[in-house]
Amino acid sequence: MITYDRLWITLKKKNISQYRLIKDYGIDKARLHRLRKNMVVKTIILDRLCQILDCPIEEIMEYIPDTK
C-alpha cells in the first residue's frame, strides 16, 4: 500500500500549509483530498509536490508491504 503520511510531515517541516498549496501553487483541493485518503494520484502531481517542496519522493510517500 502507498501512503502519503510523509507529505503532511514534510509540509509542516517546510512551513507550507495546504491553503498555500492551493492558493500559491495551484494544487487542486480534490488532489489534496485524494492524498489525505491515500487514494490514487497522478505522478505529475507527485512530481509537482517534489518541486514545490524541493524534496525527494521518499519525503512525500511511502510503500508499506502487505503482511499477509
Side-chain angles (χ1 to χ4, degrees), residues 12-65:
K12 192 169 190 164
K13 277 197 281 187
K14 303 274 183 165
N15 201 28
I16 296 178
S17 67
Q18 292 180 49
Y19 177 81
R20 189 167 167 209
L21 284 178
I22 294 165
K23 294 297 180 187
D24 295 347
Y25 297 104
I27 302 295
D28 188 62
K29 289 180 192 178
R31 303 291 181 260
L32 289 177
H33 174 76
R34 294 183 71 77
L35 288 161
R36 273 194 296 279
K37 300 292 182 178
N38 293 318
M39 298 170 73
V40 174
V41 292
K42 293 182 178 184
T43 54
I44 195 160
I45 298 301
L46 298 174
D47 181 57
R48 181 76 178 116
L49 287 169
C50 286
Q51 290 173 359
I52 292 166
L53 297 170
D54 188 30
C55 70
I57 193 73
E58 293 85 6
E59 291 185 29
I60 291 177
M61 60 188 281
E62 177 182 19
Y63 171 70
I64 300 174

